[in-house]
Amino acid sequence: MSHKRIPKRKAAIAAGGVAALGAAAILLPNANASQDGAPDASAAPRTLKSADASDLAAQLSNLLGDAFAGSYYDAGKQQLVVNVVPGDDNNVIIQAKKAGAAVREVDNSIAELEAGAKTLKRKATIPGTAWAVDPRTNKILVTADSTVTGAKWNRLESTVRGLGSGMATLKKSAGTFKTFVSGGDAIFGGGARCSLGFNVTASDGSPAFLTAGHCGVAAQQWSDSQNGQPIATVDQAVFPGNGDFALVKYDDPNTQAPSEVNVGGGQTVQIAQAADATVGQQVFRMGSTTGLHDGQVLGLDATVNYPEGTVTGLIQTDVCAEPGDSGGSLFTQDGLAVGLTSGGSGDCTSGGETFFQPVTTALQATGATLGAGGDQAGGGQDQGAGQEQGAGQDQGAGQEQGAGQDQGAGQEQGAGQEQGGEQAGGGDAGAGAGDQAGAGDGSDTGDGMGAGGHAGAGGAEEGNSGLTETH
């Protein structure tokens, strides 16, 4: 009997309330709208939608070489802004403008910023810290959560200062960095609750889904109902290390796995392909705890030092999240799959920082494709500097969302990876990615944020514990 990844639950947007409805109002009427203009090749900068801006940025990175110092998307003007360190060669500015970008001269090169990040890794890898290059300021944005105090704070501050004036900024977060458990379409395994991110096709042709890696290392088998029979088995999982993602194969090879995100109220957004994030891009996150929320991409290739270990290559955003949202989907209004919720700090009342695993990286690492075998990383036709990027670059067959949400926060994972905490349904549990489950330390269970749930059928209801249950 085939299993279709649509949960039996009420179609309601959960505790994100007004903000979630606001995000839905932005998203749904324009889900299929194109932002492409038809600019004159001689006029710069061009009007672009964010996906095309990401492609153009990649092309200019190759074209400009060492002069390229990062880029970001100005959503208000719908323009790609490219940072350049021109030196004695003013031709790079001419080339970037001819390609349709707005050009800004800056002081810090990519090589200098990357060297600064390596220094931070060497001298300040402290649990509760994170950093990513912010092209809007042409600096490294360093963030420390509330656990970084005393000697740890002094060490971090000294390291940032040592990078030199104008190289980095340091800010304090009121929350704590941890992983998020529970999710949009909830999945349950080993006492942990997570969410599906996107449905995919594994390299052997079998149906599968992507979720957070800290979910994948917490349990081998997953069910779509609490205490239910397993429906899927972990095939690959990475956490901590070079990412936070897992590929989970459905046990029934006839499983139907639609390529869409359920944003509540019976509404879905079709997922066309995977795409790399762009700083400044508007993104949407769907989660079982907080429903639909939107925000902006703040940084790329972020490093986060969770209690369980360091995770690299993440996307940093200001999209809020709460426990039960882990592993869920991060996507754009025009149907691009961007990320899987990893962890962060804060909540949907006070805000905070959140981090996501890039979908394109997860697809490349696992060999999976979106939906029925579309392109792994959307967008990518190569275009010359002066070439226009049309709206119609090839897009892979749709992505599916899968469930996969995170595991309980506040726990620390020791060698034996204890999963403490409440069982899903009443709250998130398990070894959350950002919390370590130390031997005998099961405190602060369910404290982690679950960021983006998979789009399943409908929203979610909130359990008595403040986390959500899926019925």
Side-chain angles (χ1 to χ4, degrees):
M1 179 182 206
S2 68
H3 178 84
K4 190 171 183 178
R5 284 296 310 139
I6 295 183
K8 294 180 276 185
R9 59 178 180 174
K10 296 180 180 178
I13 294 180
V18 174
L21 290 171
I26 296 170
L27 173 66
L28 296 175
N30 302 300
N32 297 313
S34 171
Q35 300 176 23
D36 277 340
D40 186 329
S42 64
R46 291 171 46 202
T47 297
L48 299 167
K49 63 181 182 180
S50 60
D52 291 335
S54 177
D55 293 339
L56 180 57
Q59 293 153 20
L60 286 173
S61 174
N62 293 329
L63 177 69
L64 302 180
D66 293 341
F68 181 82
S71 64
Y72 63 93
Y73 183 62
D74 184 332
K77 296 180 179 179
Q78 295 182 317
Q79 295 171 354
L80 176 71
V81 181
V82 173
N83 295 333
V84 297
V85 182
D88 296 328
D89 184 8
N90 192 52
N91 187 50
V92 296
I93 296 178
I94 297 173
Q95 289 178 309
K97 286 184 176 180
K98 185 178 179 181
V103 179
R104 187 176 69 153
E105 294 186 42
V106 296
D107 295 327
N108 298 321
S109 69
I110 286 290
E112 290 169 329
L113 293 169
E114 289 177 346
K118 289 178 180 178
T119 298
L120 287 165
K121 180 179 181 180
R122 187 173 67 254
K123 296 184 177 181
T125 297
I126 302 166
T129 61
W131 51 81
V133 172
D134 179 4
R136 288 175 293 192
T137 62
N138 188 229
K139 296 180 181 180
I140 303 169
L141 174 61
V142 183
T143 308
D145 73 13
S146 59
T147 67
V148 182
T149 59
K152 292 179 180 179
W153 172 261
N154 293 339
R155 174 180 156 198
L156 179 63
E157 190 176 38
S158 174
T159 303
V160 170
R161 192 184 311 115
L163 295 178
S165 175
M167 183 61 68
T169 56
L170 175 60
K171 75 170 189 172
K172 191 84 169 177
S173 171
T176 58
F177 292 154
K178 62 196 100 183
T179 51
F180 307 150
V181 185
S182 285
D185 270 358
I187 54 174
F188 305 86
R193 172 177 175 163
C194 285
S195 286
L196 233 146
F198 297 97
N199 283 319
V200 297
T201 300
S203 59
D204 63 359
S206 61
F209 62 82
L210 294 174
T211 188
H214 60 268
C215 298
V217 301
Q220 186 68 16
Q221 292 187 306
W222 291 85
S223 171
D224 61 352
S225 62
Q226 189 178 7
N227 301 319
Q229 291 297 310
I231 63 162
T233 302
V234 174
D235 181 70
Q236 303 175 48
V238 173
F239 176 83
N242 297 324
D244 184 4
F245 59 89
L247 176 69
V248 187
K249 291 184 178 180
Y250 290 109
D251 296 333
D252 182 350
N254 295 315
T255 295
Q256 298 176 37
S259 183
E260 60 189 26
V261 172
N262 187 321
V263 295
Q267 302 288 332
T268 60
V269 173
Q270 295 298 311
I271 299 300
Q273 66 183 77
D276 293 324
T278 303
V279 171
Q281 178 180 36
Q282 183 184 35
V283 285
F284 294 82
R285 177 195 59 73
M286 185 64 197
S288 65
T289 302
T290 56
L292 181 68
H293 285 269
D294 70 311
Q296 281 194 352
V297 175
L298 301 180
L300 305 177
D301 197 21
T303 295
V304 185
N305 296 300
Y306 291 123
E308 300 91 332
T310 299
V311 179
T312 60
L314 301 183
I315 301 165
Q316 183 171 352
T317 81
D318 62 2
V319 184
C320 73
E322 294 184 7
D325 289 334
S326 272
S329 359
L330 186 73
F331 59 100
T332 68
Q333 74 172 26
D334 49 355
L336 302 178
V338 174
L340 308 166
T341 303
S342 175
S345 67
D347 55 38
C348 287
T349 299
S350 61
E353 297 80 24
T354 47
F355 301 93
F356 296 82
Q357 165 65 46
V359 171
T360 52
T361 305
L363 291 172
Q364 290 166 4
T366 60
T369 53
L370 286 169
D375 294 339
Q376 293 188 13
Q381 283 181 317
D382 284 341
Q383 300 186 357
Q387 244 176 321
E388 303 232 41
Q389 301 184 9
Q393 296 187 356
D394 287 338
Q395 298 189 9
Q399 301 157 255
E400 304 257 11
Q401 307 182 7
Q405 229 142 12
D406 229 51
Q407 301 150 35
Q411 297 182 168
E412 295 196 32
Q413 234 175 304
Q417 245 187 21
E418 264 191 1
Q419 299 178 18
E422 306 171 344
Q423 292 216 347
D428 295 343
D435 317 26
Q436 288 177 322
D441 181 7
S443 62
D444 297 334
T445 315
D447 213 15
M449 291 204 272
H454 150 72
E461 297 183 89
E462 188 170 342
N464 294 333
S465 69
L467 302 184
T468 56
E469 298 184 0
T470 297
H471 301 286

